[in-house]
Amino acid sequence: MSIIHVSSLKKSYGRKLVLDDINFEIAEGSVVGLLGPNGCGKTTLIKILTGLIKDHTGTVRIDNEEPGPYTKGIVAFLPDKSYLPDWMKPKDAIGYFSDFYADFDKEKAEKMVRDFGLDENQRLKTMSKGQQEKLNLILVMCRRAKLYILDEPLGGLDPAARSFVLDLIMNNYAKDSTVLISTHLIGDVERIFNRVLMISGGKLIVNSHVDEIREKGKSVEEVFKEVFSYAW
Amino acid sequence: MLGKLIKHELRHSARYTMSIYTAVIVISAVMGLSLLSSATWLGVMSCFALYAAGFIAVIITLVSVIKSFYDTLFGRQGYLTLTLPVKCSNLLISKVIVSFIWILASFALMALTLVMIFFYAKERSSGYFSMMSDAISLSGILELLPSASAVISLLIAAAIWAVITIFAYVSFVYFTVTVANTRALQSHPKILGGLVFLGIFSINNTVGNLLTQYIPLTFNVGSDSVYFAFEQMGRVNDALLSYGVAGTAFSGLFAFGLLWLTGYILEHKVNLK
């Protein structure tokens, strides 16, 4: 059973084609890496999957539905920037998620905020960037979503923080759910993927199970470097 | 869900307005306490401060309607708002309702400050204060109203006008901000958005005035009743207040159409940076 079904997807900004005839399916329960250099179309694809962009051609189905209120209710989305308003405190943000997402585990979020040393009464504008990112991730991972879409969750983090974030993701996502992680930092995340999608110039050029790559005696990072050698 | 959207929208927009509302309360308290003192300057200063605060509250509220709409949908918070499991129409309705509440509250606050200054000036009743109370009572115009029912009719007519005017303002702002955040206008959103606002404002006024002139159906508040008349505005002799039905109806429908268009663009054409 596939949680994501994409066929003949095209999207252009003016005359610039940013996604060109993308086709793929992702089965439930997978941990998928969406890989590619900056500007290759990863974020546009994620915006389409999360219903932020509608003016595209082709078919996109999440759990057999077009992106809309239903799919937004089953997708936990972490964008590549902090999206909470500055005046909010962690307890406000928890209240907000609790009000809108039926699958949000409020008690777990409150516990994680305490466990990770965040002050539930501190305003976001007085928090460090790292603290804000931690809070955003806690909110997303405290949902029992069918699909987690995480856009560059490791961008701008030092190696220790990257490891922390990956552990947080892997220890907290609902095990029958699907996780789609967009990143260009392959080395750190290779261990958690069981499928990878590689996009280059708006085209999907690799859609492969990680075991198939390893059977050929390669790592995902090596394939990535082969495919995107022009970018370095 | 609409109730929750309204609750959170109120919480968010209160950030912009609460400080000026608090200032009005503090100044009113100072003004009240100044009655205990014989110092004229303190009374005069607090009256002017209260008037200014009431006026500023309206301005801040009108600006906050624009800022709140932009921040929650097209700023980085848009990634949160536009991925909520709610219909776009519900998002828009909640924002219209909350903007409406705040604008109405700001006008009510402005009126309240005038009433407070009026009664304060009456209480002090000398020099500057007499001038103030005269100015607020519109040099006695209010006293010309012949009956309580006329005042009620006038208030109803003013309320209808206010509802349509506020609704039109909110829809003009929402449409402008939304259009300015499509890819076509995103290169220079402030300049192009300003031009869009001027354009729709001009269309509304020009068509509204033409309709009022050529379809002379007016809604009138008389000395003790409200009534419709097939006369052009200003030609209904005993009317205390009258406005053109066709022009006003056009404003309402135009605003409604723009709001529908805003929902469509928000759903299909918006590009979050």
Side-chain angles (χ1 to χ4, degrees):
Chain A
M1 176 89 178
S2 63
I3 184 81
I4 301 177
H5 171 91
V6 173
S7 70
S8 309
L9 175 64
K10 285 188 181 183
K11 166 68 190 166
S12 54
Y13 292 128
R15 289 180 185 172
K16 191 183 178 205
L17 193 61
V18 286
L19 291 176
D20 184 8
D21 197 25
I22 302 282
N23 296 279
F24 67 89
E25 286 197 15
I26 292 177
E28 283 180 343
S30 322
V31 180
V32 182
L34 179 60
L35 313 176
N38 292 332
C40 69
K42 298 192 298 281
T43 298
T44 300
L45 177 60
I46 283 177
K47 281 182 173 177
I48 291 171
L49 295 176
T50 51
L52 288 167
I53 290 178
K54 292 275 184 74
D55 56 342
H56 57 78
T57 59
T59 307
V60 175
R61 293 274 188 276
I62 308 288
D63 199 25
N64 287 323
E65 297 278 339
E66 275 185 25
Y70 166 73
T71 67
K72 289 173 184 177
I74 62 162
V75 174
F77 170 49
L78 180 75
D80 62 349
K81 47 180 74 73
S82 179
Y83 58 5
L84 297 169
D86 290 342
W87 59 265
M88 266 193 182
K89 300 167 183 172
K91 69 172 183 184
D92 298 323
I94 289 171
Y96 191 92
F97 270 63
S98 180
D99 271 353
F100 289 110
Y101 296 108
D103 58 10
F104 185 70
D105 188 337
K106 191 177 177 187
E107 285 74 32
K108 184 179 174 185
E110 287 167 345
K111 184 175 182 304
M112 283 177 80
V113 163
R114 282 194 299 273
D115 291 350
F116 291 129
L118 299 175
D119 178 355
E120 65 172 12
N121 288 308
Q122 186 182 358
R123 291 193 194 283
L124 261 80
K125 65 181 168 193
T126 65
M127 285 183 175
S128 69
K129 190 167 173 273
Q131 285 174 315
Q132 290 184 22
E133 284 173 357
K134 216 183 259 186
L135 176 62
N136 289 338
L137 196 58
I138 288 171
L139 293 168
V140 169
M141 299 315 298
C142 283
R143 287 185 57 194
R144 292 192 201 90
K146 276 191 162 185
L147 172 63
Y148 297 85
I149 298 181
L150 315 176
D151 191 7
E152 297 282 1
L154 309 176
L157 298 179
D158 59 57
R162 273 184 238 156
S163 176
F164 169 85
V165 166
L166 279 180
D167 289 342
L168 184 66
I169 294 167
M170 297 315 292
N171 293 334
N172 288 285
Y173 83 96
K175 297 305 172 203
D176 53 348
S177 305
T178 308
V179 184
L180 178 70
I181 301 177
S182 134
T183 185
H184 58 275
L185 300 164
I186 320 299
D188 297 283
V189 285
E190 180 167 351
R191 63 187 166 94
I192 68 169
F193 294 147
N194 44 38
R195 174 169 284 278
V196 288
L197 305 173
M198 293 188 195
I199 296 184
S200 175
K203 288 184 181 291
L204 182 65
I205 48 176
V206 173
N207 176 5
S208 180
H209 203 281
V210 171
D211 289 343
E212 292 168 10
I213 293 173
R214 289 189 185 129
E215 279 167 14
K216 293 175 187 166
K218 292 179 179 173
S219 67
V220 173
E221 190 167 16
E222 284 168 340
V223 172
F224 185 83
K225 283 179 179 168
E226 280 175 22
V227 170
F228 298 110
S229 55
Y230 68 89
W232 310 106
Chain B
M1 276 296 183
L2 185 62
K4 287 174 182 173
L5 284 169
I6 291 171
K7 179 182 98 177
H8 287 284
E9 187 65 27
L10 273 170
R11 286 193 70 189
H12 183 269
S13 49
R15 304 274 140 196
Y16 301 109
T17 49
M18 282 330 273
S19 50
I20 189 70
Y21 282 59
T22 308
V24 168
I25 293 169
V26 170
I27 296 166
S28 307
V30 171
M31 196 171 83
L33 288 172
S34 74
L35 279 173
L36 303 172
S37 159
S38 58
T40 304
W41 67 268
L42 184 59
V44 172
M45 290 292 285
S46 52
C47 282
F48 278 112
L50 190 62
Y51 177 75
F55 183 72
I56 291 168
V58 173
I59 301 296
I60 286 181
T61 303
L62 295 177
V63 173
S64 77
V65 166
I66 304 170
K67 185 158 172 52
S68 176
F69 187 71
Y70 175 82
D71 285 351
T72 54
L73 290 177
F74 307 111
R76 57 189 172 80
Q77 204 187 326
Y79 284 91
L80 179 64
T81 314
L82 294 172
T83 53
L84 290 175
V86 296
K87 286 182 185 167
C88 226
S89 55
N90 278 354
L91 268 181
L92 207 52
I93 290 168
S94 68
K95 288 181 182 302
V96 170
I97 290 172
V98 171
S99 293
F100 199 86
I101 290 171
W102 280 118
I103 293 174
L104 214 55
S106 73
F107 283 137
L109 186 77
M110 176 86 180
L112 189 66
T113 58
L114 289 175
V115 169
M116 284 196 287
I117 294 168
F118 176 74
F119 282 110
Y120 180 87
K122 279 265 186 197
E123 184 69 28
R124 301 292 292 250
S125 67
S126 66
Y128 291 119
F129 297 113
S130 299
M131 281 160 53
M132 279 186 209
S133 58
D134 284 350
I136 293 168
S137 65
L138 303 172
S139 302
I141 284 177
L142 290 178
E143 287 152 23
L144 294 177
L145 292 177
S147 66
S149 64
V151 175
I152 292 168
S153 301
L154 197 62
L155 286 174
I156 291 169
I160 293 169
W161 175 84
V163 165
I164 292 171
T165 305
I166 294 172
F167 181 55
Y169 170 78
V170 171
S171 67
F172 289 6
V173 165
Y174 284 9
F175 179 77
T176 301
V177 176
T178 305
V179 167
N181 281 281
T182 55
R183 282 196 74 80
L185 276 68
Q186 220 165 22
S187 54
H188 299 92
K190 287 181 181 167
I191 297 170
L192 297 174
L195 289 175
V196 169
F197 188 85
L198 271 178
I200 53 179
F201 187 78
S202 304
I203 291 170
N204 180 60
N205 278 14
T206 309
V207 178
N209 287 339
L210 285 173
L211 286 171
T212 300
Q213 193 175 342
Y214 290 106
I215 306 176
L217 176 63
T218 53
F219 178 76
N220 306 284
V221 180
S223 54
D224 50 15
S225 64
V226 291
Y227 58 92
F228 291 96
F230 275 101
E231 290 282 353
Q232 284 193 334
M233 275 174 65
R235 292 189 185 171
V236 184
N237 290 331
D238 65 337
L240 296 165
L241 177 79
S242 67
Y243 48 77
V245 172
T248 310
F250 171 76
S251 281
L253 289 173
F254 186 52
F256 189 79
L258 285 178
L259 213 54
W260 180 86
L261 210 51
T262 303
Y264 178 83
I265 296 169
L266 199 56
E267 180 91 36
H268 296 95
K269 293 288 176 191
V270 157
N271 181 53
L272 285 185
K273 285 179 190 167

